[in-house]
Amino acid sequence: MFEWYGEKYWGAAHGLAGIMHVLMEMELKPDELEDVKGTLKYMIENRFPSGNYPISEEDRKRDVLVHWCHGAPGVGLTLVKAAEVFGDKEFLEAAVDAAEVVWNRGLLKRVGICHGISGNAYMFLSLYRLTGNVEFLYRAKAFAGFLLDRAHKLISNGEMHGGDNPYSLFEGMGGMAYLFLDLIDPTEARFPAYEL
Ligand SMILES: [Zn+2]
């Protein structure tokens, strides 16, 4: 268990979802696999009624962030991985629920992959890769199309945030460029440095 600022975080960047994701890349013993499974089921059972996920074990009230770093998009990618590894329907259903949260609330005011629209589009690309359901591809393209059409204008108007590091992969336009490149062949799209 990893703590950050004295809290046990849940998200992909700083917490449980990220740790479980890495563990599922390893060769694990049966009891260790059960621990991973049990942790993920605990998270699903304790998500918000909205389907989004808490920021941390200590912060179970604020249902505000729908980011890869904190919330449904990052946890959802880990659930897709769990559906692949365990072949368990419960994980696939929870990933689809997470994608629904991202579709309804994930058009953020930033462009990058950590806490921006580009990263959230990977929730749909990941489910498209797993299921082949074109509805998810449509949703990824809708997010990417929004960025392609409007991001530059909205950033220059000050209506969207260009990122604390405007050209970086995780916070800025580097992430948007990476998403556009991935959409050339969406079946091969993977969230950079996370979906290996
Ligand atoms: Zn972030």
Side-chain angles (χ1 to χ4, degrees), residues 6 11 15 23 68 74 112 115 133-134 141 148 154-155 157 159 176:
L23 288 176
W68 171 77
H115 35 269
N133 182 343
V134 291
K141 284 184 173 174
L148 192 59
L154 290 171
I155 289 170
N157 290 347
E159 290 174 81
M176 188 167 81

Side-chain angles (χ1 to χ4, degrees), residues 28-29 38 42 52-53 76 80 86 90 93 106 130 133 138-139 144 155 165:
L28 297 175
K29 297 186 194 119
Y42 168 81
N52 195 24
Y53 286 81
V80 167
F86 299 114
E90 187 187 344
E93 284 169 1
L130 181 68
N133 182 343
Y138 163 80
R139 290 183 168 193
I155 289 170
N165 295 292

Side-chain angles (χ1 to χ4, degrees), residues 120-137:
N120 284 358
Y122 278 90
M123 177 75 253
F124 310 125
L125 289 170
S126 191
L127 272 169
Y128 173 61
R129 199 179 64 237
L130 181 68
T131 66
N133 182 343
V134 291
E135 190 188 330
F136 296 119
L137 180 60

